[in-house]
Amino acid sequence: MAAHNSTSARTWPSGTIRKAAGALVAMLIVGLTLTIFWNIQHTAVTGSPSVPVDMAHLVRMTALQAGLTTILSLIVGIALAWALNRLRFPGRAFVIGLFAAAIVTPGVVVALGLLQVWGRAGWINALLVPLGFDLGSSIFGLQGILAAHVILDGTFAARILLARLDAIPKIPLKTGQSLNLSPWQRFKVLDWPIMSSALPGLSAIIFLLAFTSFPIVLLLGGGPANQTMEVAIYSAVRLNFDLNGAVQLALVQLVICAAIILPAISFAPSLTSAGNSGGHEWSSGRWMKSCQIIIIALGLFGFALPLIAVLVNGLGPGLMAAITRASFWSAALTSLIVGIASASLALGLTIVLCMARSESANRLTRTLISLPAYAYLVVPAVVMSLGFFLAIRNTGLPMHAAAPVVLIIANALLTLPFALSTLGPTLDTIQRRYRRLGRSLGLSGLARWRLVEWPLLGREIGLVFALGFCFSLGDLGVISMFGTEDFATLPWLMVRAMGAYRTNDAASIAALLLLISLIAFWALPALFGKLSNAQD
């Protein structure tokens, strides 16, 4: 190991610089995390909540909806991945791309889409009421929260598990086919072992995403009975201005999130494909094909219908009224500037951390470099926003001047865990595959980046930039602490429009948010791939 490191440092002079840069970035992130934590803890010990909080109920409700979301999402994800892996049909690539976009679809948009389909004035009720049935407002409550979470997290799980199934090599498939394995035997012997290895990390991520969910619970919760900790923190700050109560809630949430995510980091699945089985054909029987068609149809119905409702209702006659308001263009400009800046910052930090990690063969060093980025899964958006809010308040800085900077930094940090999972494995592979070639050619520094890494990383870099931009564009957690009449992003403007019963404006903003997110997620990786002259 020592000999390997010594050789690497001698033949790749830029390696030491990369390690130092990665260590510096990791320390800066740790410092920022400690600053947020200190401000929260300092406020907690200097006062007590003025509004009584039923902490046990909040923890129980938050854990219940997160646990049910995790179980249902994994069931949906496994079924969809299995069906998509088996079935070949025109448009399959589009369907997979649609499900992959779930990770960047704003939760606030999905919640609004469910209201437009299943709400009192939604599409389903419009069909049922003439027949004598009325669902009323049944979408509000735990069932609505679970439906929205499963739409997003179930399809996210399906994309991860499908990549695992597609990575099964040809030889085991040919062997299983020659042995005439039944569909159940094939699933048990070939599929389940490779999918089950991803389930611990995937479960932890889904549980944490649901545990820290904010916009979905805010819009579909239906009242205090279904309130979660994120919404309680928001209510304590924005509605009651009870900072001490919010801080104590934030501390409890931090402890629970840390207990979940820190052991799960080592199991975190990669967001990129692990390989390809080469399109091996193993036809299923007629009944199995029927099951697969039904599963995919139900998946498309559940995921696409709310999004179609958002587009149909949002791109109607009310669109012109919404986009001719000055507040819309101000919010749109703010969202774009913050999104681009946040994505750029996230990309820069990710590249530095990944390069430093790929230079080291020592497991402990790699973990120490990566851990600060993943640790931000422990700090939910509303808690992070509260920490920044308290830090600015304690230092006396003008809130309106600091707010844009906070949004850029906070959204970039929230992107880091997903960005590291996307870029890290690919950069590690490049390092293993081309180290000797680079050494023989004497490549280092910018030449190494320009000739070796950039052409091979172009698509992943575009994906990381798209993730950062879309996460920032759809963020409602961070802006919830800093949004005002004069400083708003599109999601904040949309929630304000809903609060003022301007539903047409809210629908139009949601439709535009959805379109921008989908276009960015699909176009940016292709654009960066083209710019880097990446070859498949």
Side-chain angles (χ1 to χ4, degrees), residues 189-435:
V189 175
L190 296 176
D191 298 341
W192 180 247
I194 197 167
M195 282 200 294
S196 61
S197 63
L199 294 185
L202 195 55
S203 301
I205 290 176
I206 292 175
F207 186 90
L208 205 65
L209 290 174
F211 195 87
T212 59
S213 173
F214 174 66
I216 288 173
V217 181
L218 183 69
L219 266 61
L220 299 177
N226 298 307
Q227 197 175 47
T228 58
M229 301 192 73
E230 287 275 285
V231 177
I233 294 170
Y234 166 78
S235 301
V237 176
R238 294 303 298 243
L239 304 182
N240 304 320
F241 202 69
D242 180 12
L243 289 181
N244 294 321
V247 163
Q248 294 195 8
L249 287 166
L251 285 175
V252 172
Q253 190 169 17
L254 277 174
V255 171
I256 296 174
C257 290
I260 297 167
I261 195 61
L262 291 181
I265 287 175
S266 56
F267 299 107
S270 168
L271 296 181
T272 54
S273 175
N276 199 306
S277 57
H280 179 76
E281 293 287 344
W282 185 351
S283 180
S284 306
R286 189 175 59 180
W287 290 107
M288 283 296 107
K289 278 189 176 179
S290 300
C291 289
Q292 292 151 14
I293 291 171
I294 292 171
I295 289 172
I296 293 173
L298 289 175
L300 278 174
F301 177 81
F303 180 71
L305 190 61
L307 305 187
I308 292 172
V310 167
L311 294 176
V312 170
N313 292 331
L315 301 180
L319 178 63
M320 287 304 296
I323 64 174
T324 51
R325 296 178 193 274
S327 57
F328 170 82
W329 288 106
S330 174
L333 186 62
T334 301
S335 287
L336 291 177
I337 292 174
V338 170
I340 292 171
S342 178
S344 302
L345 180 59
L347 178 60
L349 294 176
T350 304
I351 290 175
V352 172
L353 288 173
C354 288
M355 282 183 168
R357 197 178 70 164
S358 68
E359 289 293 338
S360 177
N362 183 281
R363 186 179 179 85
L364 178 61
T365 304
R366 289 169 60 86
T367 302
L368 290 175
I369 291 172
S370 306
L371 195 59
Y374 284 107
Y376 265 90
L377 283 174
V378 174
V379 189
V382 172
V383 176
M384 184 188 294
S385 182
L386 175 63
F388 276 116
F389 179 85
L390 294 172
I392 295 168
R393 183 171 173 267
N394 292 337
T395 53
L397 291 172
M399 197 66 73
H400 67 278
V405 179
V406 169
L407 254 65
I408 292 169
I409 295 175
N411 282 312
L413 294 177
L414 290 169
T415 305
L416 276 185
F418 301 94
L420 217 64
S421 294
T422 302
L423 205 58
T426 308
L427 196 56
D428 286 345
T429 302
I430 293 172
Q431 179 73 351
R432 286 195 302 271
R433 188 173 297 172
Y434 296 102
R435 177 184 288 119

Side-chain angles (χ1 to χ4, degrees), residues 150-172:
V150 172
I151 286 172
L152 291 174
D153 298 335
T155 44
F156 168 67
R159 188 65 191 92
I160 296 290
L161 295 174
L162 177 62
R164 294 292 182 117
L165 292 179
D166 285 345
I168 297 177
K170 272 186 177 181
I171 293 178

Side-chain angles (χ1 to χ4, degrees), residues 104-143:
V104 298
T105 305
V108 67
V109 171
V110 173
L112 183 64
L114 282 173
L115 285 173
Q116 292 173 341
V117 175
W118 297 98
R120 180 176 291 278
W123 290 1
I124 302 298
N125 258 339
L127 294 174
L128 293 180
V129 167
L131 303 176
F133 301 98
D134 188 352
L135 296 178
S137 300
S138 57
I139 192 62
F140 291 106
L142 180 61
Q143 62 276 14

